[in-house]
Amino acid sequence: MAEPQVMRPGAHWTGAAPASDDEDIIPRDIRFGILENPTRQWLDGDFHKTALIDGLSIFLPEGERYFIRALKYYAPKLPDRQLAAEINGYAVQEAFHTREHEEYNEALGKLGYDVEAMEEPVRKTLRSDKIPIFRLAVTCAIEHLTATLSTVTLRNPQFLENAAPAYRRLWMWHALEELEHKAVALHVFKAATPKYSGFKRYMLRTMAFNAVAWTFLVITLRNLTLFAKVDGVKTGPRFWARLLWVLFFAPGYWRKCAPLVLKYYLPGFSPLNKDDHELIRKGRDWLYREFTTLEAASAPAAPAAE
């Protein structure tokens, strides 16, 4: 049954700008109310689709705090004040993401999932990084993964068409903002390494990406089994075959992501794609219409004229 078009308790929105907004990075203080209405298998009633996306949220609170620290370390050292200002906008967006995904993960806990066990390897991995330039390279790598997922999401909104509305709104919002700031980390990385040769910068960037991709895969697969245990889903051959089907065939998340992910290995890689502007415009327009519709539906009815 479709969710009624009303704002959930605890949900509110501020600043979901229309498509005509000219700002590059727009922090939006939006609350989605997921903690008040946690939902199991909220995407198509499908375990694999839902668990893969829920699994992304497991990485995000600790990851986004890590990103903010990595970039803010360099902000006062940059001669480019425009880039320093972009770091500030980036940090505010990520702070709102952190808050919402902390509540998202708390909602997973309310559904019975062992969120603490799922988050532990993420914390352990990210807190082991002590070298600022390596933290920055890791941030660039993770931002590329999130930007890829965001690009694919905005290019294929049908992926979330049958999602519970609050979850669809959160992930569309997150995808839009990741796309808005996706170039910031790599621009800071370049500005922070003026004495590096192109080869050294390339090797640091790609080796960090290799480490991130492997760690992401291992933790994701481990956490899928933890989700399955709570849902009573057996993790035998049919479980893994179904996972491969979802990733590579229908809807084919990885099949659509892989070409964008692999571009990171090009020596002259740029995080900007030719259709970014149009995707951002469409994302902003979708977000604005979604929340203005909700606001209108939630407004108290005007008293009838006597």
Side-chain angles (χ1 to χ4, degrees), residues 79-233:
D80 184 344
R81 303 320 300 163
Q82 175 61 34
L83 184 53
E86 289 179 9
I87 291 174
N88 185 64
Y90 169 100
V92 177
Q93 281 188 332
E94 295 288 32
F96 288 142
H97 298 177
T98 300
R99 182 195 67 200
E100 289 306 296
H101 284 282
E102 283 178 335
E103 290 201 354
Y104 190 122
N105 292 353
E106 189 177 343
L108 290 174
K110 289 174 68 173
L111 292 172
Y113 300 113
D114 191 347
V115 173
E116 177 66 25
M118 293 181 185
E119 289 180 330
E120 178 56 29
V122 179
R123 285 193 296 268
K124 183 177 179 181
T125 299
L126 293 179
R127 293 179 185 181
S128 66
D129 294 338
K130 304 297 182 185
I131 303 172
I133 193 61
F134 186 69
R135 286 201 303 264
L136 183 56
V138 167
T139 296
C140 292
I142 301 175
E143 282 292 316
H144 179 62
L145 284 177
T146 57
T148 295
L149 292 167
S150 299
T151 298
V152 169
T153 297
L154 293 174
R155 285 179 180 173
N156 300 275
Q158 71 276 10
F159 283 174
L160 294 172
E161 186 175 3
N162 295 321
Y167 287 83
R168 181 177 67 246
R169 293 172 199 133
L170 181 145
W171 286 109
M172 290 291 284
W173 162 77
H174 197 143
L176 169 62
E177 295 199 349
E178 288 295 330
L179 211 60
E180 288 178 339
H181 70 228
K182 73 173 188 173
V184 176
L186 269 174
H187 289 164
V188 173
F189 179 72
K190 184 175 181 180
T193 55
K195 297 182 180 179
Y196 282 33
S197 67
F199 178 75
K200 183 177 180 180
R201 190 182 292 119
Y202 173 80
M203 290 302 295
L204 177 56
R205 177 170 66 80
T206 55
M207 292 301 288
F209 187 80
N210 291 341
V212 163
W214 174 251
T215 303
F216 176 79
L217 176 63
V218 169
I219 295 176
T220 295
L221 295 179
R222 169 188 176 274
N223 285 350
L224 276 176
T225 66
L226 297 180
F227 280 119
K229 183 178 180 180
V230 173
D231 281 10
V233 177

Side-chain angles (χ1 to χ4, degrees), residues 302-306:
E306 294 185 3

